[in-house]
Amino acid sequence: MKQTEFLKTVMPFKDKVFRVAKRLLVSTEEAEDATQELYFKLWKNRNKLKDYKSIEAFAMTMTKNYCFDRLKSKQASNLKLIHSNYQEKGTPLQRQVELNDSVSLVHRLINNLPEQQKLIIQLRDIEEFEFDEIAEQLNLQPTAVRVSLSRARKTIREQLTKQHNYGIS
Amino acid sequence: MELASIEKLLEKYLDAETTIAEEKELRNYFLSENVAPHLQEYQSMFGYFSTSKNERFTKTIQLKSQKVNWKWLSVAASVVLLVSVYTGYQNNQQKKAEKIYQETQMAFGMLATNLNKGNAAISKLQYFENTTNKVFKQPKK
């Protein structure tokens, strides 16, 4: 596979890779490194890419695996620290400011979901993949994807409703 | 769009049974101005999804490894080591040669002074002979 051909096939989904990586790794720098690393890996395996039905799905699976590995690896302890710092509620004033910003609230709610649900929400509601595609990328049954997604959406909805009512009363 | 059908879609949405097209419909509804008050909590959710979608990877991707190639580094290091050992050896040889040269110089110097001592003795001898010649006139040949 030539470089131009390679770039034509893999570049269209670089933003998706980046966003998924960022969803899982939280930090932008980490996500950028992950994207870079992933494309480097794809380039090294460029001759094998033809064997895959969908290169995009393959790349997504690779992204998922890479990010999970990163989270499990030693550096993950650092990441976890950032992550939990992020969840810290801080002073009441700070909290209030954060709550007012409902978009950042949704961001936090999604980040608090289990890894799998987080990933599925990202793939479905932000990247707009079909259930079959997500199932293939995550090596799951389509029904399992639906169940996880439904759970994730309901969790977010519940939390949002709670916050919403709290704001009114 | 009718409120009733939106509510029905939301129900399906929470059970993860909507299609991509239906989800787009929902998104468009919640991004529009007139959202029913009891559904407002969904607004931030769909708003978040659509803003997240706009996030871009802005850095340029490098396909060549930016990591230092350790293999080549080791080759370079071994070359440097070889060169330094070689020059060190050369230096050492030269120093040894200089030392030997100096020792020889010294030995020659000693030899020369001793020879000069001998020369002086010989010149005295010559003087002695001259005097002898003066005292005892030599018959002419």
Side-chain angles (χ1 to χ4, degrees), chain A residues 120-153:
Chain A
I120 292 176
I121 275 271
Q122 176 77 22
L123 290 174
R124 176 66 180 192
D125 279 324
I126 296 171
E127 311 304 345
E128 294 177 3
F129 282 110
E130 291 291 350
F131 285 117
D132 293 344
E133 291 173 310
I134 298 173
E136 192 193 330
Q137 289 163 16
L138 303 186
N139 201 14
L140 290 171
Q141 291 297 315
T143 40
V145 175
R146 275 176 204 269
V147 169
S148 283
L149 182 65
S150 168
R151 244 174 238 162
R153 282 172 175 172

Side-chain angles (χ1 to χ4, degrees), chain A residues 3 6-7 11 14-15 18-19 22-23 32 35-37 39-40 43 102-103 106-107 110 121 124-126 128-131 146 149-150 153-154 156-157 160-161 164, chain B residues 12-20 23-24 27 37 40-42 44-67:
Chain A
Q3 186 163 351
F6 172 79
L7 290 178
M11 277 306 151
K14 75 173 186 339
D15 294 324
F18 172 65
R19 287 191 298 250
K22 194 180 169 190
R23 174 69 57 209
E32 279 167 355
T35 313
Q36 171 62 56
E37 191 60 31
Y39 269 85
F40 183 60
W43 172 245
S102 56
V103 169
V106 178
H107 182 76
I110 295 178
I121 275 271
R124 176 66 180 192
D125 279 324
I126 296 171
E128 294 177 3
F129 282 110
E130 291 291 350
F131 285 117
R146 275 176 204 269
L149 182 65
S150 168
R153 282 172 175 172
K154 278 177 180 161
I156 298 171
R157 203 275 314 256
L160 277 177
T161 315
H164 194 69
Chain B
K12 269 175 83 184
Y13 173 78
L14 288 178
D15 289 331
E17 272 160 3
T18 37
T19 60
I20 294 280
E23 283 168 19
K24 268 198 183 123
R27 182 167 309 165
Q40 258 167 11
E41 68 255 32
Y42 288 99
S44 51
M45 192 170 166
F46 285 99
Y48 176 75
F49 290 152
S50 63
T51 44
S52 297
K53 211 176 154 51
N54 292 328
E55 195 166 4
R56 294 278 176 272
F57 182 74
T58 46
K59 288 198 167 173
T60 42
I61 285 171
Q62 288 170 332
L63 295 180
K64 306 282 177 291
S65 171
Q66 346 125 281
K67 281 184 203 153

Side-chain angles (χ1 to χ4, degrees), chain A residues 5-41:
Chain A
E5 192 192 344
F6 172 79
L7 290 178
K8 226 189 265 171
T9 36
V10 299
M11 277 306 151
F13 52 81
K14 75 173 186 339
D15 294 324
K16 285 186 191 178
V17 169
F18 172 65
R19 287 191 298 250
V20 170
K22 194 180 169 190
R23 174 69 57 209
L24 291 173
L25 300 175
V26 181
S27 115
T28 308
E29 285 79 25
E30 278 284 335
E32 279 167 355
D33 286 353
T35 313
Q36 171 62 56
E37 191 60 31
L38 196 94
Y39 269 85
F40 183 60
K41 273 186 189 167

Side-chain angles (χ1 to χ4, degrees), chain A residues 62-80:
Chain A
M62 270 175 77
T63 310
K64 180 204 80 175
N65 291 338
Y66 180 80
C67 291
F68 281 177
D69 283 351
R70 289 290 296 166
L71 287 173
K72 265 184 230 150
S73 77
K74 251 191 186 169
Q75 282 115 322
S77 49
N78 284 333
L79 280 178
K80 276 275 161 56

Side-chain angles (χ1 to χ4, degrees), chain B residues 28-44:
Chain B
N28 288 338
Y29 172 76
F30 283 106
L31 290 181
S32 70
E33 294 293 306
N34 35 11
V35 176
H38 68 287
L39 295 178
Q40 258 167 11
E41 68 255 32
Y42 288 99
Q43 225 172 352
S44 51

